[in-house]
Amino acid sequence: LFTNGECIRDKKLITIDVYNSGLITDTLTWIHELTHYRNVQGNYISSSRRLFTESLSFTYDFIFLDYLCD
């Protein structure tokens, strides 16, 4: 509920929208969406690339959570 965000690609413009709830969970949303932004740079986007990008975004989330909890 508190982690709403999206990375949208419209022609050459890529935008990131993140709901600001004022909680620490916003950082997870930012990391997740920035990882999508980093991986959506190419012209060719297939379903396998979308799946890889989603798994990579969750991996960065878990790395951040591990760093945060130490």
Side-chain angles (χ1 to χ4, degrees):
L1 180 66
F2 296 109
T3 57
N4 293 330
E6 59 186 354
C7 181
I8 303 168
R9 181 178 180 186
D10 184 30
K11 297 180 184 175
K12 292 186 178 183
L13 181 66
I14 303 171
T15 58
I16 298 174
D17 290 329
V18 175
Y19 174 73
N20 184 11
S21 64
L23 300 173
I24 192 70
T25 55
D26 291 342
T27 56
L28 284 174
T29 307
W30 273 108
I31 289 169
H32 188 90
E33 297 307 327
L34 284 171
T35 307
H36 281 303
Y37 174 78
R38 228 176 82 185
N39 290 305
V40 79
Q41 300 288 330
N43 290 331
Y44 179 71
I45 298 178
S46 63
S47 59
S48 60
R49 183 171 178 173
R50 286 186 185 132
L51 182 62
F52 177 71
T53 300
E54 193 66 34
S55 62
L56 196 60
S57 296
F58 279 114
T59 302
Y60 276 98
D61 284 344
F62 288 129
I63 290 171
F64 175 73
L65 283 172
D66 186 49
Y67 175 76
L68 189 64
C69 294
D70 279 345

